[in-house]
Amino acid sequence: MGRFLRWGGVAHHVVVEGAGPVVVLSAGLGMSWFDWDPVMPLLAPHHTVVRFDRPGHGLSGPAVAPPTAAGEAGRIAGLLDGLGLPGPVTVVGHSIAGFHAEAFARLHPSRTAGLLLVDSSVEERARPPAALPARLALARAAGSLLGHAGAPAALGPAARRAVVRASRTGGGDPAPRDLVRLCYRGGRVWRGLLLENATYGSVAAELLCLRRELELPACPATVLAGGAGGPRWVRRQRGLAGVLGARFAVAEGAGHLLMLDAPGSLAGLL
């Protein structure tokens, strides 16, 4: 099931498989390391694949500080250091983790061999949200309230499966039920999800600042969109590729969870 590396005061769950050039996989909001399982048989024979759970996700410990773009880029670098993998690496970010992957490439260009954004979050005109401390306090209070009410234990796995089913076109949630129960019956994951959601706007705004200040390294960059997101979503993903000077590809018929709906397309691009 992996190992635990301590960084930034948090025990991070990390899984390393395969051999070859290093690829780092970071999943979207509320997702876990096992959500990348469908692509692993396609990647591990040719790559050293690193999967990790951000604080409050999967099996990692709870977050001790609100996430930032630079902080998440530093987290990737710190975990790679802990694994003895200084780089360069190809970093893959899905959904909100697309912010983190791009920040890593801009802040650690010498360690970046490639960048793949998988149906990444896109915010063309993000601004830091007003009253961020109040938003954070509300997120923490909501997480505590859910935990004390027993909502994660009663509804967590079912909620996780419902979200996965709604976010893809290829069926239900293929994740093993025992792992879903292990991760989603506790309040830690839901608190982590709420905290990342509360800081979404501030992380997006910080990334726009990084774009103005730091160039992407001269390495392959690709934006992969899920075609089932609709024409407007695909146009926004194409626009993101244009801003980054990246290659653009569409997985026709795939939903937001491309690692589940189109693992072959994702692995083929890598």
Side-chain angles (χ1 to χ4, degrees):
M1 198 175 288
R3 68 184 88 172
F4 289 88
L5 292 178
R6 197 159 192 88
W7 189 88
V10 178
H12 291 76
H13 176 239
V14 182
V15 179
V16 182
E17 298 169 89
V22 180
V23 174
V24 180
L25 305 178
S26 186
L29 183 69
M31 307 304 285
S32 298
W33 87 96
F34 52 74
D35 289 302
W36 295 102
D37 279 355
V39 303
M40 291 307 300
L42 305 174
L43 293 181
H46 313 289
H47 300 84
T48 298
V49 185
V50 177
R51 296 182 278 173
F52 72 98
D53 294 322
R54 294 189 301 280
H57 288 63
L59 296 179
S60 289
V64 297
T68 65
E72 294 307 316
R75 189 183 315 282
I76 295 171
L79 293 177
L80 288 171
D81 288 342
L83 293 170
L85 300 172
V89 305
T90 296
V91 60
V92 181
H94 165 251
S95 193
I96 194 174
F99 291 162
H100 312 156
E102 182 185 339
F104 175 86
R106 293 185 186 277
L107 289 165
H108 303 275
S110 65
R111 304 186 69 168
T112 306
L115 173 66
L116 175 58
L117 304 183
V118 181
D119 223 44
S120 177
S121 296
V122 182
E123 295 298 334
E124 297 88 349
R125 298 177 182 86
R127 294 183 179 180
L132 180 59
R135 292 170 63 92
L136 293 173
L138 181 61
R140 291 189 175 104
S144 296
L145 182 62
L146 286 172
H148 289 313
L155 304 173
R160 140 85 197 200
R161 293 194 180 280
V163 170
V164 169
R165 190 178 303 110
S167 301
R168 58 177 308 217
T169 57
D173 186 355
R177 291 187 176 275
D178 58 336
L179 290 181
V180 171
R181 286 193 297 269
L182 177 64
C183 293
Y184 293 89
R185 279 180 55 86
R188 173 181 43 80
V189 168
W190 299 98
R191 289 193 297 272
L193 185 156
L194 288 167
L195 188 61
E196 283 201 351
N197 185 66
T199 56
Y200 175 90
S202 61
V203 172
E206 182 187 353
L207 181 62
L208 293 187
C209 290
L210 290 177
R211 284 183 188 167
R212 291 190 292 267
E213 297 168 359
L214 300 170
E215 297 287 339
L216 278 178
C219 67
T222 303
V223 173
L224 174 62
R232 182 173 181 273
W233 178 247
V234 171
R235 283 197 300 272
R236 293 182 72 192
Q237 293 286 303
R238 189 186 300 274
L240 174 62
V243 167
L244 301 181
R247 176 187 178 190
F248 178 66
V250 179
E252 297 292 349
H256 184 52
L257 298 180
L258 280 151
M259 65 280 277
L260 304 184
D261 282 344
S265 297
L266 196 159
L269 288 173
L270 285 171

